[in-house]
Amino acid sequence: MAIHLLEAMSREGFEEVIALHDRRSGLRAFLAIHDSTQGPAFGGLRRWSYLDEDQALRDCLRLSRAMTYKCALAGLAAGGAKLVILDRTELDLRASYRAIGALVERFAGRFYTGPDVGTDAEELGWVAEQTRYVTRPDETGPGLLAESTCAGVFAGIAACLRHLDGEEDWGRRTIVVQGLGAVGRGLSRLLLEAGARVRASDLDGEKAERVARELDLELVDPATEYDQACDVFAPCALGGILHDLTLTRLRCRIVAGGANNVLVRSLHGERLHERGVLYAPDFAINSGALIRGALFHLEGRRESVEAIGARIEAALEGILARSREEGLAPVRVAVDEAAARIARWRGESPAEG
Ligand code: NAI
């Protein structure tokens, strides 16, 4: 179904959505700025082979709004945005990223971009040729971005285990990690160091073998992660994986990972709750890199990875405590809490947020 863009923007409170076409490079991209009332909007730059522009726009809008939720729950004076590039073989990559840089520069600091799937140090170097409002993963930037995400997810999993069992007891835990990229690999390492048993998958078979050898972990076939009996399922690949068909297959007690937009719709978080599975909301647990990047730009400092882990753990503990007290799914509590904070920034009543 096609998106009614202005309807969606008004329903979800978006400030601005831009469609970008650059004839010379072949660039086709969307930028969504969800909120910049509190401070600059932060949002990474995703390059992906979308099926069509509708899918790309939807992804852009969802990810942008989730960034505002992350800022609200992490207590940052910042908001959310997202850039997506529709990847195609005919793209002139360098020229495309330079065109993106010129767009970011036009916002004069109201919007910062940074790494995401498909965009890393090299591509961000091209963006930085045109603008300084970019978070680079090299020594000119905050550094330790994926490490900050991993520390937050690890601390969040610990909070979930303590919430259910009163202790972490890593030696008796099995965690299934989906995706062995920057986040899945780093998280697996932390879990193994803590003494947990880790089973993991990656669609890229060579990468899976390489990481399995390096970390000495067990592999499972992609798409069988959902069927594995375990304590924690940690999605660290792409979003949109938990829906009517997959959630009934889960044999875990907790879902907590680094991927963005894990649930197809937030009602799937409520279904998980009804089934007795604790779902740690993605935007509450995976904000480590955002915190590190935002504090670098806003306050000119590099927050320690430990402090970031502690901050996310405390925020998640608050959400889980409220969830228990009020008998609501954690995702409902987290969405309500984020929406209430955003409404306060905007001077609206929560119902309007
Ligand atoms: P990455 O691109 O380094 O790794 C993703 C990995 O997942 C790749 O190895 C890919 O082959 C694998 N994969 C894709 N689909 C899969 C599937 N269906 N089954 C198994 N493996 C699959 O990305 P990164 O940085 O590790 O990010 C992972 C997720 O975490 C993404 O959703 C990203 O948006 C999110 N995230 C990452 C942050 C960061 O600091 N890198 C911050 C916040 C969220």
Side-chain angles (χ1 to χ4, degrees), residues 45 47 93-98 114-116 118-130 134-138:
L45 175 41
R47 177 163 52 92
L93 280 186
R94 180 167 180 195
S96 296
Y97 278 98
R98 283 176 58 92
D116 192 40
T119 302
D120 209 345
E122 185 178 26
E123 292 85 359
L124 290 169
W126 297 326
V127 175
E129 289 171 12
Q130 300 293 319
V134 52
T135 303
R136 298 176 68 176
D138 60 22

Side-chain angles (χ1 to χ4, degrees), residues 39-287:
F42 286 87
L45 175 41
R46 177 168 291 194
R47 177 163 52 92
W48 187 252
S49 308
Y50 291 99
L51 285 178
D52 52 34
E53 63 182 274
D54 223 51
Q55 192 193 36
L57 180 56
R58 263 177 224 283
D59 204 30
C60 187
L61 295 176
R62 279 199 80 185
L63 289 163
S64 157
R65 193 186 52 166
M67 288 298 283
T68 305
Y69 283 15
K70 286 190 207 190
C71 291
L73 292 182
L76 295 169
K82 198 75 192 181
L83 261 166
V84 304
I85 296 179
L86 286 80
D87 203 10
R88 303 178 303 145
T89 42
E90 58 269 42
L91 267 191
D92 175 340
L93 280 186
R94 180 167 180 195
S96 296
Y97 278 98
R98 283 176 58 92
I100 289 281
L103 171 72
V104 176
E105 182 62 21
R106 283 195 342 232
F107 285 88
R110 189 176 137 225
F111 164 55
Y112 283 77
T113 197
D116 192 40
V117 177
T119 302
D120 209 345
E122 185 178 26
E123 292 85 359
L124 290 169
W126 297 326
V127 175
E129 289 171 12
Q130 300 293 319
T131 185
R132 65 198 157 94
Y133 303 114
V134 52
T135 303
R136 298 176 68 176
D138 60 22
E139 67 286 349
T140 65
L144 303 184
L145 289 171
E147 290 82 352
S148 301
T149 304
C150 296
V153 175
F154 178 79
I157 292 176
C160 292
L161 289 169
R162 282 201 310 277
H163 178 75
L164 290 186
D165 299 336
E167 58 178 354
E168 288 142 20
D169 200 7
W170 293 112
R172 290 169 37 148
R173 308 295 187 180
T174 300
I175 289 99
V176 171
V177 177
Q178 181 183 52
L180 284 169
V183 176
R185 179 166 156 274
L187 175 66
S188 297
R189 185 192 293 280
L190 294 176
L191 292 166
L192 289 163
E193 282 169 4
R197 178 173 176 214
V198 177
R199 316 184 72 197
S201 69
D202 199 288
L203 278 187
D204 177 342
E206 251 175 58
K207 185 192 255 184
E209 293 290 343
R210 191 172 64 246
V211 177
R213 269 196 308 276
E214 180 198 338
L215 298 185
D216 195 19
L217 53 75
E218 287 171 62
L219 291 178
V220 297
D221 287 333
T224 67
E225 307 91 348
Y226 311 108
D227 311 308
Q228 307 284 331
C230 59
D231 296 283
V232 184
F233 169 50
C236 297
L238 292 182
I241 54 147
L242 289 186
H243 44 73
D244 294 345
L245 298 180
T246 46
L247 68 81
T248 52
R249 286 165 58 190
L250 290 175
R251 296 175 63 208
C252 58
R253 300 168 66 218
I254 295 167
V255 177
N260 281 310
N261 296 340
V262 169
L263 306 172
V264 167
R265 298 178 57 194
S266 67
L267 72 85
H268 293 112
E270 317 229 10
R271 298 237 171 97
L272 284 170
H273 184 65
E274 285 156 18
R275 297 174 69 85
V277 177
L278 192 170
Y279 173 70
D282 44 13
F283 52 89
I285 193 173
N286 73 4
S287 53

